[in-house]
Amino acid sequence: MKQTMHAVIFRGPLDFGIEAVPLPHISSNDILLKVITCGLCGSDLRTLKFGHRKVTPPFIIGHEICGEIVEVGSQASPAWKTGMRLAVAPVVYCGVCIYCRQQRLELCESYQEIGQVWPGGLAEYVAIPADALRRGVINPLSPSIDMVQAAVSEPLAACLHALEKVDFSTVRSAAIFGSGAIGCMLLQLIRKRGVQTIILIDPNDDRLNVAKIFHPDATINTNDVDVVNEIKTITAGIGVDAVFTATAAPIVQEQAIAISSHGGQIIVFSGLPKEQAQVRVDYNQIHYHNLRISGTSIYSPDHHKKALELIENGKINVKDIITTYPLLDFISGAKAALNGEIIKAVFIP
Ligand SMILES: [Zn+2]
Ligand SMILES: [Zn+2]
């Protein structure tokens, strides 16, 4: 095997590129994956722009990984065999907190991530550490699954977790803030749950236009109109029964409450930048309108498994949200994603 590889090295905010680096070293309990595809996540975009408190540069980012095992450490479980193809999601649960012990892994209070604690998958090879093999989210890929689409299984797993927070029996209308990959997948998933009117909201026309292939009933560009008034108009003054916030804009949290119908459900999908996370909330609206606000983050291994099944069986269209790039063209792919010209970049080393 060769001794060096190409990898995306993050050196600081808006300072990143492809570099030649030594192949990852694996210890006796780890495995080495040859990366076949790796998606660029919304959280990666934030890291590229602003840095990340858990990422110490220079560092290889990337956590939506599909690859093939090329080396198995001498002490690793014999279940791992060279030639096996895996989808690796980044989350490694702590295994000891109260939630892990209750098998409510998606609530783990101190999970760690590949691409933050351990070097990530935007590279030709990635070491999968023993901790991830034991307590992470790794699923074998069936021979028939498309490896580009399978790279989106990680964000799709987060969407499936989010949907569990919603009581769909009363949801006739919904609004989704953010027409990125998450918004486009949520749109398809909630349509299948029988929601009649789905409104997609974003400040970027390029992204709204791509999302139109998933047939939202209305799209709203927040730069053009007042979103609260517009939703009231579309819903005859009632508001929407479910709101998903799949964008990191603080104003959206206030708008989500303002556009909710009585009994409305708000799913807080996206985190906010730490210094902007204190949001003004009108508690009287929550009280008098009987609103329900649910947070959701990460997923369980089961959500990830289910996500792979949906992709493999063509139950969700992820193909049309993906633009592929050779890994060596990382800069152009990342720029297109940062500018909102494309929805999801998947890189192929
Ligand atoms: Zn991701
Ligand atoms: Zn835990």
Side-chain angles (χ1 to χ4, degrees):
M1 209 183 301
K2 52 187 195 168
Q3 294 305 307
T4 62
M5 65 171 187
H6 289 111
V8 174
I9 305 292
F10 170 74
R11 292 196 166 272
L14 294 175
D15 180 9
F16 54 86
I18 295 283
E19 296 182 24
V21 297
L23 232 61
H25 169 77
I26 63 160
S27 65
S28 58
N29 291 304
D30 305 344
I31 63 174
L32 186 67
L33 274 196
K34 184 177 182 359
V35 178
I36 299 175
T37 55
C38 186
L40 187 65
C41 187
S43 66
D44 293 325
L45 293 175
R46 280 199 295 282
T47 301
L48 292 176
K49 251 194 199 162
F50 306 113
H52 191 289
R53 70 196 158 91
K54 290 186 184 164
V55 174
T56 310
F59 199 73
I60 303 173
I61 59 164
H63 65 245
E64 300 175 352
I65 306 164
C66 290
E68 182 178 321
I69 302 179
V70 289
E71 193 182 337
V72 178
S74 58
Q75 308 286 313
S77 157
W80 309 108
K81 294 184 170 48
T82 56
M84 264 176 90
R85 299 194 312 168
L86 305 174
V88 180
V91 172
V92 179
Y93 311 102
C94 78
V96 294
C97 75
I98 183 166
Y99 309 105
C100 281
R101 283 185 278 130
Q102 293 171 343
Q103 282 303 307
R104 299 161 79 199
L105 298 175
E106 66 276 18
L107 302 182
C108 175
E109 59 186 24
S110 49
Y111 64 88
Q112 297 180 300
E113 292 190 42
I114 295 170
Q116 292 179 354
V117 174
W118 303 276
L122 284 165
E124 290 179 74
Y125 295 87
V126 59
I128 306 300
D131 286 342
L133 297 176
R134 278 196 290 267
R135 301 191 307 275
V137 183
I138 300 175
N139 276 296
L141 289 164
S142 86
S144 61
I145 197 166
D146 180 289
M147 297 288 272
V148 169
Q149 295 179 32
V152 189
S153 55
E154 193 259 348
L156 180 55
C159 293
L160 295 177
H161 180 204
L163 289 205
E164 287 178 2
K165 313 279 169 131
V166 184
D167 170 8
F168 278 99
S169 66
T170 56
V171 179
R172 291 163 306 275
S173 58
I176 301 168
F177 282 95
S179 74
I182 298 294
C184 290
M185 291 191 285
L186 284 174
L187 168 50
Q188 298 178 65
L189 293 168
I190 65 179
R191 181 74 80 196
K192 280 194 204 303
R193 304 299 287 268
V195 179
Q196 287 152 15
T197 305
I198 305 176
I199 304 162
L200 199 54
I201 305 159
D202 200 277
N204 184 308
D205 271 332
D206 287 339
R207 302 208 310 174
L208 283 173
N209 278 331
V210 176
K212 278 182 183 157
I213 54 175
F214 303 113
H215 309 297
D217 298 285
T219 58
I220 298 175
N221 184 322
T222 47
N223 287 328
D224 299 342
V225 292
D226 178 273
V227 65
V228 177
N229 287 338
E230 192 70 12
I231 296 243
K232 291 277 151 110
T233 306
I234 294 170
T235 59
I238 295 170
V240 286
D241 303 322
V243 183
F244 297 82
T245 65
T247 177
I251 182 79
V252 162
Q253 320 305 317
E254 295 174 41
Q255 292 168 335
I257 289 174
I259 65 171
S260 284
S261 66
H262 289 220
Q265 303 175 58
I266 297 167
I267 307 301
V268 183
F269 191 99
S270 180
L272 297 174
K274 204 174 166 201
E275 58 290 349
Q276 297 175 19
Q278 306 275 340
V279 177
R280 283 163 57 89
V281 172
D282 184 345
Y283 259 72
N284 274 340
Q285 291 209 19
I286 299 174
H287 169 70
Y288 288 114
H289 295 180
N290 290 260
L291 303 185
R292 191 197 301 177
I293 302 178
S294 306
T296 183
S297 72
I298 66 167
Y299 37 76
S300 71
D302 284 344
H303 294 125
H304 186 242
K305 198 165 172 231
K306 177 92 177 116
L308 286 167
E309 283 168 17
L310 290 180
I311 292 170
E312 185 179 0
N313 299 330
K315 295 269 168 61
I316 184 158
N317 177 354
V318 292
K319 185 168 156 271
D320 288 329
I321 63 177
I322 294 171
T323 307
T324 56
Y325 295 85
L327 182 67
L328 293 178
D329 289 343
F330 180 78
I331 301 253
S332 47
K335 278 192 178 148
L338 282 166
N339 294 335
E341 293 156 22
I342 59 165
I343 287 190
K344 181 86 186 172
V346 172
F347 294 91
I348 304 174

